[in-house]
């Protein structure tokens, strides 16, 4: 079966995406040859993006976060747009994403499970007042609430658990899907990567630029850019 035939055969598609879905929008990934983790910093990015570092070196955290994680000028690409179309047509039941950029919602997707949170939600640790990503980007040093409390991005940092409700929603969506499209992810970040094991449906497809440990487990594997593949359908 071709990818198009599989999609036409299904009505409860779930899309499980990683950083490779957003690279075509100009947002850098982490683990590829030119990803953030291969660049040279005095402190490794995976340390900077940890809960321990956030609380112990808050100013340095925010300096990196503003420079590298807040890509607010990025626009949805062909992949985001196609998925929103599928949802509108009633073919796609959910997007499960490891990304924190909010581009799926910008493209029009409604049912999105953001496993690692979103840069667009920020809250005061003291009074829980919410702040926008633009507020964080335009603030200087360590952003504080008007009540004096420290503002934290609603993103899952290393050392923090995933949100239980988001996990449950994502697992249920995958378990009830008749097709799973895995795209733009190396499937090396756990626990998120383990979610694909809940799939029991008809068709599974993996679209990724590089090989992954899961290639042999899928019905079809396409080593290409996600946006280009979905746009061609």
């Amino acid at each position: 079966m071709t990818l198009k035939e599989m999609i036409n055969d299904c009505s409860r598609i779930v899309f499980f995406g990683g950083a490779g879905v957003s690279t075509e929008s100009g947002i850098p990934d982490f683990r590829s040859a030119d990803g953030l983790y291969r660049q040279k910093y005095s402190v490794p990015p995976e340390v900077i993006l940890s809960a321990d570092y956030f609380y112990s070196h808050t100013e340095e955290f925010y300096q990196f976060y503003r420079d590298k994680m807040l890509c607010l000028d990025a626009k949805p690409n062909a992949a985001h747009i196609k998925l929103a179309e599928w949802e509108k047509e009633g073919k796609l039941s959910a997007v499960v994403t490891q990304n924190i950029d909010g581009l799926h919602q910008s493209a029009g997707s409604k049912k999105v499970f953001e496993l690692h949170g979103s840069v667009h939600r920020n809250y005061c640790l003291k009074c829980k007042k919410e702040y926008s990503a633009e507020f964080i980007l335009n603030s200087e040093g360590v952003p504080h609430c008007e009540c004096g409390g420290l503002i934290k991005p609603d993103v899952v940092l290393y050392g923090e658990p995933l949100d239980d409700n988001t996990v449950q929603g994502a697992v249920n969506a995958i378990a009830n899907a008749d097709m799973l499209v895995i795209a733009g992810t190396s499937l090396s970040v756990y626990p998120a990567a383990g979610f694909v094991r809940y799939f029991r449906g008809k068709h599974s497809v993996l679209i990724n630029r590089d090989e992954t440990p899961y290639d042999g487990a899928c019905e079809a594997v396409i080593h290409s850019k996600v946006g280009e593949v979905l746009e061609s359908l």
Side-chain angles (χ1 to χ4, degrees):
M1 277 182 109
T2 66
L3 179 54
K4 188 158 190 171
E5 287 170 338
M6 290 180 204
I7 290 163
N8 290 338
D9 187 41
C10 296
S11 59
R12 296 189 313 280
I13 301 170
V14 168
F15 180 88
F16 181 94
V21 178
S22 292
T23 51
E24 289 168 81
S25 293
I27 295 178
D29 67 359
F30 287 84
R31 289 173 175 79
S32 67
D34 52 356
L36 282 181
Y37 286 179
R38 302 295 179 94
Q39 297 175 27
K40 300 300 180 190
Y41 296 97
S42 56
V43 179
E46 57 266 46
V47 173
I48 298 174
L49 296 174
S50 69
D52 286 346
Y53 197 86
F54 173 79
Y55 291 107
S56 63
H57 298 79
T58 311
E59 188 159 357
E60 292 88 344
F61 168 91
Y62 268 114
Q63 186 176 354
F64 179 87
Y65 184 79
R66 289 188 187 97
D67 287 347
K68 298 295 181 183
M69 310 302 290
L70 290 181
C71 306
L72 303 187
D73 292 334
K75 299 285 188 282
N77 62 51
H80 301 105
I81 292 165
K82 179 62 74 174
L83 294 169
E85 288 175 3
W86 286 353
E87 184 183 46
K88 206 170 182 181
E89 293 165 4
K91 294 195 71 65
L92 184 101
S93 56
V95 169
V96 180
T97 181
Q98 299 175 78
N99 297 336
I100 59 174
D101 50 48
L103 290 179
H104 286 293
Q105 290 92 331
S106 295
S109 290
K110 307 294 184 194
K111 194 72 171 285
V112 182
F113 295 103
E114 297 174 305
L115 297 178
H116 297 148
S118 173
V119 298
H120 295 284
R121 295 188 302 271
N122 305 272
Y123 63 96
C124 171
L125 291 173
K126 191 173 174 183
C127 74
K128 305 304 179 188
K129 181 177 177 178
E130 295 183 2
Y131 288 87
S132 68
E134 287 77 14
F135 177 88
I136 300 298
L137 184 64
N138 296 322
S139 60
E140 293 183 10
V142 177
H144 284 90
C145 177
E146 54 195 23
C147 80
L150 172 63
I151 298 172
K152 182 183 182 294
D154 189 14
V155 298
V156 179
L157 302 175
Y158 288 98
E160 292 183 326
L162 303 186
D163 176 75
D164 286 342
N165 291 333
T166 305
V167 168
Q168 198 59 55
V171 166
N172 287 343
I174 292 170
N176 290 302
D178 54 9
M179 180 174 181
L180 180 63
V181 179
I182 304 164
T185 173
S186 61
L187 290 172
S188 60
V189 177
Y190 283 83
F195 290 10
V196 299
R197 295 176 186 156
Y198 289 94
F199 177 66
R200 296 288 181 270
K202 290 193 284 188
H203 303 300
S204 59
V205 178
L206 196 150
I207 308 166
N208 197 52
R209 194 178 64 181
D210 306 314
E211 291 183 7
T212 80
Y214 207 70
D215 281 19
C218 287
E219 182 179 349
V221 177
I222 302 168
H223 289 144
S224 188
K225 292 181 178 178
V226 184
E228 289 178 2
V229 174
L230 295 191
E231 191 174 34
S232 69
L233 296 171

